[in-house]
Amino acid sequence: MRAPNALRRPNKFIAYMRKYWFVYMLVLPGLVFMLVFDYGPMYGILLAFKDYSPRLGVWGSPWAGLSHFREMLVDPNFIRAFKNTVLINLYNLAFGFTFNVFLALMINELKIKKVKPVVQTCVYLPYFLSWVIFAGLVQVFLEYPSSADIGGVVNQVISALGGQPVDFLKNPAMFRTILVITNIIKTAGYSTIVYLAAISGIDPALYESAAIDGANRKDMLLHITIPRILPSVMIMLILQLASLFISNFDQVYNLYNNYVLSTGDVLSTYIYRISLGGSGTNFELSTAMNLVLNTMGLIVVLGANKFVEKLDVQGIF
């Protein structure tokens, strides 16, 4: 008499584990790392609902309910940082994301063998620099002239053309633009690699057939290249939407100053200041902010993924 299916499943699972044990051993280090460093610290979310005391620890600290969330919603500095974060990320999405797709398509259209590697190297190089180095270069280029020096390259050009030098990094109206432009220059290389990889996977026979039918490069671009890389574009879009409420701390922290807080102070820098930056150690409030923002990001990702699926394009789930 055969055993029921429910009783046979463990045996099949064990047999499967024995057969592919080497594959599971390869996965094990990454799994352990994720459990220890990603899931393990998640118990710290409790700080958002407690009045934390270092003496009592996370578990022993008294419960505070939703008081920290109420404090967050009435904090004008949080509202300002939230607004700046969303606006900067929307600008990055509108200008940076579209530029990256456009740049990848243009690099793919380059047919001169000696020019294409040079362009790709120039595009990829900034991505491998840390934001500390890259921000230092930006400050050198945009430096305002003083009695001791003649200023950065940009202000030298403006002066040579008869204009007045501009103190870019202390101008609140320009700071968001600087953040968006420097982010595009810094990160465009990585995105173009992803899109160029997707383009390289397109069957060359499609282009050959289109050429035989009389299609030009524009027709091939619009009707072959773009539709074939659309799944990759949508996945990158969803991943960027996941960070809609999360700002690039390294970039902003190395570029902003007290003059541009009204337009440049973002959530990551504000959370850093109230928790570790010298203006207090409000771990509970910063944890509540991170919890709300990451939850909102998850909701946006799920909604965007559902929308992409309705367009008959594969999402990330």
Side-chain angles (χ1 to χ4, degrees):
M1 180 177 179
R2 291 185 176 181
N5 290 335
L7 297 178
R8 293 205 307 270
R9 284 175 187 168
N11 295 332
K12 288 184 178 180
F13 177 74
I14 293 174
Y16 191 84
M17 290 284 291
R18 288 177 178 174
K19 183 178 180 180
Y20 298 103
W21 66 271
F22 184 70
V23 177
Y24 283 99
M25 290 298 294
L26 292 175
V27 174
L28 185 60
L31 179 62
V32 172
F33 181 89
M34 182 178 67
L35 292 175
V36 173
F37 294 101
D38 291 338
Y39 286 94
M42 287 182 69
Y43 79 95
I45 293 175
L46 291 174
L47 287 175
F49 307 95
K50 291 197 170 191
D51 286 327
Y52 177 65
S53 170
R55 181 177 59 84
L56 299 176
V58 176
W59 297 104
S61 298
W63 292 95
L66 300 177
S67 62
H68 301 303
F69 295 92
R70 288 192 290 267
E71 180 184 355
M72 173 187 70
L73 294 176
V74 299
D75 185 356
N77 292 323
F78 169 77
I79 296 173
R80 180 188 66 184
F82 181 85
K83 174 186 174 183
N84 291 337
T85 301
V86 174
L87 283 176
I88 291 170
N89 285 331
L90 287 177
Y91 293 154
N92 281 324
L93 193 65
F95 299 103
F97 184 81
T98 52
F99 175 80
N100 293 340
V101 177
F102 173 79
L103 181 62
L105 294 173
M106 293 302 99
I107 291 177
N108 182 65
E109 293 300 317
L110 287 175
K111 300 304 177 184
I112 304 177
K113 293 183 178 180
K114 293 184 179 180
V115 174
K116 190 172 183 178
V118 175
V119 173
Q120 288 179 301
T121 302
C122 294
V123 171
Y124 300 158
L125 183 60
Y127 181 77
F128 296 100
L129 300 176
S130 70
W131 268 114
V132 176
I133 297 174
F134 194 79
L137 293 174
V138 172
Q139 291 170 355
V140 170
F141 274 89
L142 300 180
E143 185 179 5
Y144 186 72
S146 63
S147 57
D149 57 63
I150 58 175
V153 175
V154 176
N155 274 315
Q156 290 181 36
V157 172
I158 293 175
S159 299
L161 295 176
Q164 294 295 324
V166 180
D167 197 351
F168 291 98
L169 294 177
K170 291 184 180 180
N171 190 332
M174 293 184 174
F175 193 70
R176 290 175 185 159
T177 303
I178 294 173
L179 289 179
V180 173
I181 294 175
T182 54
N183 184 69
I184 292 174
I185 297 173
K186 176 77 165 58
T187 61
Y190 172 77
S191 298
T192 54
I193 290 176
V194 175
Y195 299 134
L196 288 172
I199 293 173
S200 65
I202 300 175
D203 188 356
L206 295 174
Y207 295 104
E208 296 171 2
S209 301
I212 293 173
D213 292 336
N216 54 32
R217 296 302 303 177
K218 176 184 175 182
D219 296 328
M220 295 180 188
L221 178 66
L222 294 177
H223 301 288
I224 297 177
T225 306
I226 293 180
R228 292 301 185 281
I229 68 170
L230 191 58
S232 298
V233 172
M234 290 296 102
I235 290 175
M236 295 294 289
L237 175 62
I238 293 173
L239 293 176
Q240 187 156 343
L241 284 173
S243 59
L244 183 62
F245 305 105
I246 302 173
S247 49
N248 188 339
F249 174 80
D250 293 338
Q251 178 193 18
V252 180
Y253 184 76
N254 285 288
L255 287 175
Y256 87 142
N257 51 69
N258 291 332
Y259 296 97
V260 296
L261 287 179
S262 59
T263 57
D265 189 27
V266 292
L267 289 168
S268 60
T269 54
Y270 175 61
I271 291 172
Y272 170 76
R273 286 203 310 275
I274 65 174
S275 57
L276 299 172
S279 60
T281 54
N282 199 336
F283 299 119
E284 306 94 320
L285 182 59
S286 61
T287 303
M289 291 179 183
N290 276 307
L291 178 59
V292 171
L293 297 173
N294 281 282
T295 302
M296 292 172 64
L298 177 61
I299 294 173
V300 170
V301 169
L302 294 175
N305 188 74
K306 184 63 70 174
F307 175 76
V308 166
E309 289 178 349
K310 289 185 180 296
L311 298 177
D312 198 24
V313 178
Q314 183 179 0
I316 60 175
F317 301 114

